[in-house]
């Protein structure tokens, strides 16, 4: 195995996720089509493995679903048969919430590419991402109270932050399921793409992120997540770190060189026209 290969996940070791990895990104596809990608304990374990890998080898994560019954689906929720048997001790362990919080805190951005149903735990997995892209077929919401429980893996606080209190309460307390356009209007989707173009759009967003300085992206994500009272002191400390980075000098010099070359080309063009 080469040195580069040793930093890659062993895709063959996963059974609920299909993992594809390149030097600057990892694509994890939820892959339990027989149960509409219901999130079970095995999938949570595998999401932890993905997080552990990306904590040591930071790169963009793309999450997507698969097809079930000829239709795209992100995740229909937690595995109800498994969830029904969980008791108080399981709830206190925060089985899903621990994994989703770990995913939200990954060093580099997380992109959720949503198609079809993203319900319950599937929606909470999407809320933990930094970006959410969807197709016109998206149906997203939190039906937990109809099953006698609460959405305890992040929705009860992330939804208010993402979309505001009014629509959050409709989703959480009245079981409202949003379609793609409604999710877009409330800021819960960043964009809507045709089904066949969804992953291309996710990779295009990953391409844009990859063009930025990785350390600046990582620090920006960390500072963004800080509470209001940490600012502006945390911003100043973060900027102090970046002001000493080699990438800052190289990228700014490259910018100045391009500007100088452009100005020189414009001057030469003008001189030629006046001759």
């Amino acid at each position: 195995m080469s040195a580069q290969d040793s930093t890659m996940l062993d895709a063959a070791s996963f059974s609920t996720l299909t993992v594809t990895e390149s030097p600057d990104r990892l694509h994890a596809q939820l892959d339990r089509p027989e149960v509409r990608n219901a999130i079970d304990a095995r999938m949570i374990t595998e999401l932890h493995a993905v997080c552990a890998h990306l904590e040591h080898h930071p790169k963009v994560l793309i999450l997507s679903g698969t097809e079930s019954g000829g239709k795209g689906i992100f995740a229909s929720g937690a595995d109800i048969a498994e969830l029904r048997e969980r008791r108080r001790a399981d709830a206190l362990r925060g089985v899903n919430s621990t994994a989703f919080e770990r995913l939200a805190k990954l060093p580099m951005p997380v992109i959720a590419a949503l198609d079809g149903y993203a319900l319950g735990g599937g929606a909470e997995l999407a809320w933990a991402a930094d970006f959410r892209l969807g197709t016109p077929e998206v149906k997203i919401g939190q039906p937990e109270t109809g099953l006698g429980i609460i959405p305890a893996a992040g929705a009860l606080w992330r939804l208010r932050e993402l979309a505001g209190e009014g629509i959050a309460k409709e989703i959480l307390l009245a079981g409202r399921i949003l379609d793609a356009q409604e999710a877009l209007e409330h800021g819960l989707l960043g964009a809507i793409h045709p089904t066949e173009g969804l992953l291309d759009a996710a990779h295009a967003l990953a391409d844009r992120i990859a063009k930025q300085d990785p350390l600046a992206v990582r620090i920006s994500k960390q500072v963004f997540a800080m509470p209001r009272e940490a600012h502006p002191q945390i911003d100043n400390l973060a900027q102090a770190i970046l002001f000493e980075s080699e990438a800052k000098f190289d990228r700014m010099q490259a910018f100045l060189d391009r500007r100088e070359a452009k100005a020189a080309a414009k001057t030469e063009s003008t001189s030629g026209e006046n001759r």
Side-chain angles (χ1 to χ4, degrees):
M1 182 178 289
S2 69
Q4 183 175 350
D5 289 339
S6 68
T7 66
M8 299 284 187
L9 273 177
D10 178 12
S13 66
F14 292 84
S15 61
T16 69
L17 303 176
T18 298
V19 175
T20 308
E21 190 173 6
S22 66
D24 66 358
R25 73 198 62 177
L26 187 150
H27 177 197
Q29 179 185 24
L30 281 58
D31 196 5
R32 298 186 72 215
E34 69 283 359
V35 289
R36 302 199 303 173
N37 290 341
I39 299 171
D40 67 351
R42 177 64 185 174
M43 186 180 286
I44 290 295
T45 296
E46 294 186 358
L47 285 171
H48 274 296
V50 168
C51 288
H53 175 69
L54 294 177
E55 287 161 357
H56 286 87
H57 306 288
K59 56 184 70 177
V60 174
L61 172 62
I62 296 174
L63 292 169
S64 71
T66 186
E67 282 195 1
S68 177
K71 295 182 178 180
I73 188 164
F74 182 66
S76 58
D79 190 307
I80 299 299
E82 190 177 89
L83 193 61
R84 184 184 180 278
E85 300 307 314
R86 290 184 184 172
R87 305 302 293 262
R88 177 172 52 202
D90 299 304
L92 291 174
R93 284 193 298 119
V95 177
N96 287 9
S97 63
T98 301
F100 297 172
E101 181 67 3
R102 189 176 186 183
L103 183 141
K105 290 181 177 178
L106 285 174
M108 292 291 281
V110 178
I111 302 168
L114 311 179
D115 190 19
Y117 288 112
L119 300 175
E124 290 183 295
L125 177 58
W127 307 143
D130 297 289
F131 303 96
R132 284 165 298 281
L133 307 178
T135 71
E137 286 71 43
V138 163
K139 300 288 183 184
I140 192 165
Q142 305 291 159
E144 283 89 347
T145 53
L147 297 171
I149 59 174
I150 63 171
L156 284 171
W157 55 276
R158 282 200 175 98
L159 263 178
R160 175 161 46 189
E161 292 180 355
L162 291 169
E165 186 170 321
I167 190 63
K169 284 184 174 179
E170 284 196 54
I171 294 169
L172 296 166
L173 308 182
R176 180 174 171 183
I177 305 298
L178 304 185
D179 62 26
Q181 188 59 40
E182 290 170 326
L184 180 68
E185 291 169 0
H186 289 288
L188 295 171
L189 285 180
I192 299 174
H193 300 276
T195 301
E196 63 276 11
L198 178 62
L199 283 179
D200 287 341
H203 280 289
L205 177 53
D207 289 340
R208 296 202 300 274
I209 295 169
K211 290 179 181 178
Q212 313 307 309
D213 173 47
L215 181 60
V217 172
R218 289 178 62 179
I219 289 180
S220 293
K221 180 173 177 177
Q222 290 177 333
V223 172
F224 186 88
M226 293 290 183
R228 175 63 185 88
E229 56 269 21
H231 303 278
Q233 290 82 2
I234 189 64
D235 306 66
N236 296 337
L237 289 170
Q239 192 74 296
I241 293 170
L242 291 168
F243 270 12
E244 299 299 325
S245 73
E246 200 157 321
K248 172 246 188 178
F249 292 101
D250 291 344
R251 285 173 173 262
M252 289 190 176
Q253 188 61 52
F255 172 85
L256 294 172
D257 291 345
R258 288 194 301 271
R259 188 171 69 179
E260 185 177 340
K262 189 174 181 180
K266 185 176 181 180
T267 300
E268 186 176 341
S269 174
T270 303
S271 298
E273 290 174 358
N274 292 334
R275 281 201 287 268

